[in-house]
Amino acid sequence: MSVSKKVVLLGHFGVGKSSLLRRFVENTFSESYTVTIGVHIMKKEVHLEKESVTLVIWDVEGTDDFTKYRPSYLMGASSFIYVFDASRPVTYSDIKYNLEHLKEKFPHVSVHIIGNKVDLVDSEVILNDLKAQDIQHSYLSSAKTGENVELLFQNVAAQLLENA
Amino acid sequence: MDSKERLEILKEILLTEEREFDKDLVLKIEKLKSRQDNLSDRVTPILDERMDDFVENMPKALGPVITETLKTEIKKSQEAVAEALYPVMGKMIKKYVQAEIKKLNEDINKRLNKTFSFRNWFSGKDNNIDAAALMYEQYKARIEQIMIIEKGSGLLKANYAKRPTLDEDMLAGMLTAIKSFVEDAYNQGEMELERIDYELFTIHLQNFSNYYIAVVITGIYDDDYKDKLEDVLLDFAQFVVNKSDLENPETFTKKLKSYFTDERI
Ligand SMILES: Nc1nc2c(ncn2[C@@H]2O[C@H](COP(=O)(O)OP(=O)(O)O)[C@@H](O)[C@H]2O)c(=O)[nH]1
Ligand SMILES: [Mg+2]
């Protein structure tokens, strides 16, 4: 029985939160879009060099205004994964505003910023755009191709164990 | 076909195809009625009334839910209709019977205003196992699973299940989400959700400051049982649980198991 941690996926509707989770846990992908209502919970044990950690991941209904998140869904989280859609600038233009809210309400919870759907864009272009806007992302990923998906969750897990 | 006819068909299905399930129960009640003559002077009227109510109200209660299904299925043979509805019906009827017996039990208790209960009634007189005792046994409350869950995170800190369940970590998380959703919706400060009914299960929630205990129960969960259960859980929290247990799910689970394996309740 490894240690369990709560992780919450945040971000606008349709950026690929549920798809990333499905790719990570079930290694599948679907083009069809099913809107998440309320919250959906999945878990996966991540094995790192010395230890293992079970990520219990809450996939909550998307929103563009993070102040609208139900506080109880975010409570007790050890990490947030903030997902945006690299092919739709509106989904990352408000990152600063939303991060501020998270910093204020959950000062001790680390936030990982992920640019998803990288398969749809020229990564050069998106990297420049993020740089211009001073957005500190941790990974560009694709739930469709699987690019960086395993890695981004591994990174979350590793950081959780470091802080434990 | 108007709704009355549909209800007739439904009634027929319920009272023929469902007899399989019911037959036993009705037989037991019949037997019970004929056997417990002196008591039955007092009890039979209530029982009759309840049974009549049951038969009369069942189609009314279930009608709206299945009208839609019936609309499409009704053209086919009655057998096919019954087959389509069977899984739904079985559960609904079982739940209905359970609820009715619970009401009946409470009703009798109230009217006789004593420590009279099905249990006493059934076990009185001769101690042979009779139909009634079997019936009581059948519907008696039973603990299926106990989970200790951290508030906020919804992380499972201890778990004891009689049989393997679907993923208990997800179950714990979903329960917590539902619980906080309901509590947010009422937003009445101290209000906390105490119970969830799900199909044939009752989930009793006992709240403590940093965690809550979720007990999954089948059978008749009445006030009497709730009282007893609360006492046992409060004792457990007071005398068995330490602060450090939440940090150590493995030992916590062991504690939980050893406390509840001897069918304490
Ligand atoms: N091309 C592409 N499409 C994706 C990717 N991730 C998700 N999608 C699609 O985007 C839509 C929304 O995904 P979903 O995971 O439901 O988004 P959520 O609302 O954030 O949970 C779906 O139609 C997915 O098939 C990706 O990495 N690449
Ligand atoms: Mg979703």
Side-chain angles (χ1 to χ4, degrees):
Chain A
M1 201 168 171
S2 65
V3 55
S4 299
K5 298 285 181 185
K6 174 177 174 178
V7 174
V8 187
L9 287 162
L10 306 170
H12 288 224
F13 287 103
V15 298
K17 299 181 292 298
S18 303
S19 300
L20 282 172
L21 187 53
R22 221 171 304 130
R23 167 63 75 194
F24 176 56
V25 176
E26 295 168 350
N27 201 18
T28 57
F29 177 77
S30 153
E31 295 282 352
S32 70
Y33 181 30
T34 319
V35 179
T36 308
I37 308 280
V39 51
H40 184 74
I41 297 170
M42 287 181 136
K43 71 157 183 187
K44 184 167 168 176
E45 191 170 351
V46 179
H47 303 281
L48 298 165
E49 260 172 52
K50 288 191 194 127
E51 280 172 278
S52 300
V53 56
T54 299
L55 302 181
V56 178
I57 306 163
W58 291 46
D59 177 18
V60 300
E61 202 170 287
T63 175
D64 22 334
D65 183 353
F66 281 25
T67 60
K68 302 248 162 63
Y69 272 120
R70 212 168 266 293
S72 47
Y73 286 172
L74 310 191
M75 247 160 57
S78 298
S79 283
F80 294 132
I81 302 179
Y82 188 145
V83 184
F84 68 87
D85 181 342
S87 70
R88 284 190 296 142
V90 281
T91 65
Y92 57 89
S93 58
D94 53 2
I95 281 186
K96 288 258 158 65
Y97 167 81
N98 285 328
L99 281 181
E100 236 160 72
H101 172 73
L102 292 178
K103 267 263 120 47
E104 188 197 323
K105 297 283 179 196
F106 306 93
H108 304 298
V109 183
S110 55
V111 185
H112 303 258
I113 298 174
I114 305 298
N116 188 43
K117 304 200 191 179
V118 69
D119 57 291
L120 296 178
V121 297
D122 181 338
S123 48
E124 194 98 355
V125 175
I126 178 75
L127 285 173
N128 283 334
D129 197 14
L130 293 174
K131 205 166 179 189
Q133 296 194 40
D134 192 27
I135 293 170
Q136 318 272 322
H137 70 286
S138 7
Y139 285 100
L140 295 178
S141 70
S142 167
K144 187 171 180 176
T145 67
E147 181 179 344
N148 282 343
V149 176
E150 191 70 30
L151 214 56
L152 83 88
F153 284 102
Q154 292 258 349
N155 180 47
V156 170
Q159 200 238 15
L160 282 175
L161 285 179
E162 238 167 67
N163 294 355
Chain B
M1 178 171 303
D2 63 23
S3 63
K4 193 152 175 260
E5 279 173 290
R6 264 185 242 128
L7 287 182
E8 276 312 308
I9 289 175
L10 171 61
K11 216 182 209 169
E12 233 185 292
I13 295 166
L14 288 173
L15 300 180
T16 56
E17 299 297 316
E18 284 299 329
R19 195 175 289 156
E20 189 96 326
F21 166 79
D22 252 11
K23 189 177 56 190
D24 228 29
L25 183 62
V26 174
L27 264 178
K28 283 167 189 167
I29 293 181
E30 288 297 339
K31 203 167 157 199
L32 177 71
K33 277 202 284 191
S34 64
R35 289 197 57 195
Q36 311 259 344
D37 267 353
N38 35 359
L39 237 183
S40 67
D41 284 347
R42 284 185 290 171
V43 174
T44 305
I46 309 167
L47 205 63
D48 280 346
E49 200 184 294
R50 283 290 176 189
M51 280 313 284
D52 289 349
D53 264 352
F54 173 37
V55 173
E56 192 184 302
N57 286 329
M58 193 164 52
K60 222 192 290 170
L62 303 184
V65 184
I66 52 162
T67 303
E68 269 311 301
T69 324
L70 277 180
K71 257 186 212 156
T72 47
E73 292 288 346
I74 205 78
K75 292 189 196 97
K76 301 177 190 169
S77 71
Q78 217 185 70
E79 211 174 315
V81 177
E83 189 145 71
L85 294 176
Y86 191 86
V88 187
M89 288 300 168
K91 272 186 185 161
M92 288 178 99
I93 290 172
K94 191 164 176 197
K95 192 171 179 179
Y96 189 90
V97 171
Q98 199 167 296
E100 285 304 301
I101 291 180
K102 180 183 163 197
K103 269 195 255 161
L104 177 60
N105 186 24
E106 282 167 359
D107 206 32
I108 294 173
N109 284 341
K110 223 188 296 161
R111 288 199 203 190
L112 298 187
N113 195 17
K114 274 209 156 176
T115 51
F116 185 86
S117 73
F118 256 15
R119 189 201 288 273
N120 300 338
W121 182 29
F122 288 149
S123 60
K125 307 242 167 176
D126 54 26
N127 277 334
N128 298 332
I129 298 178
D130 57 13
L134 283 173
M135 191 166 97
Y136 177 80
E137 197 53 30
Q138 167 95 2
Y139 287 100
K140 183 173 94 169
R142 278 193 183 79
I143 293 178
E144 295 293 325
Q145 184 170 12
I146 307 180
M147 289 179 286
I148 299 181
I149 302 167
E150 185 175 58
K151 281 190 174 172
S153 72
L155 294 172
L156 187 67
K157 295 301 180 179
N159 178 42
Y160 167 48
K162 282 203 188 139
R163 347 164 203 280
T165 50
L166 54 148
D167 192 295
E168 59 269 0
D169 286 308
M170 288 198 271
L171 190 60
M174 290 309 292
L175 268 180
T176 307
I178 293 167
K179 185 165 141 54
S180 56
F181 181 85
V182 174
E183 287 164 1
D184 284 357
Y186 286 94
N187 208 2
Q188 300 265 317
E190 297 296 286
M191 283 260 278
E192 290 190 292
L193 188 65
E194 289 182 341
R195 159 178 180 180
I196 296 169
D197 289 320
Y198 177 70
E199 298 203 328
L200 298 174
F201 299 101
T202 299
I203 304 173
H204 171 99
L205 305 173
Q206 192 81 41
N207 288 291
F208 299 93
S209 65
N210 297 319
Y211 62 91
Y212 67 96
I213 305 182
V215 185
V216 182
I217 296 153
T218 53
I220 300 173
Y221 169 91
D222 54 13
D223 289 346
D224 201 38
Y225 185 80
K226 178 173 178 250
D227 260 10
K228 255 190 286 172
L229 182 60
E230 275 172 353
D231 287 345
V232 172
L233 294 175
L234 291 169
D235 276 355
F236 176 69
Q238 186 179 353
F239 301 116
V240 184
V241 179
N242 298 325
K243 265 197 181 141
S244 59
D245 286 337
L246 281 181
E247 310 301 315
N248 200 337
E250 229 152 306
T251 51
F252 205 0
T253 293
K254 278 193 197 121
K255 271 189 179 181
L256 181 69
K257 273 186 190 157
S258 66
Y259 196 77
F260 284 96
T261 30
D262 58 351
E263 299 274 331
R264 194 171 291 269
I265 176 157

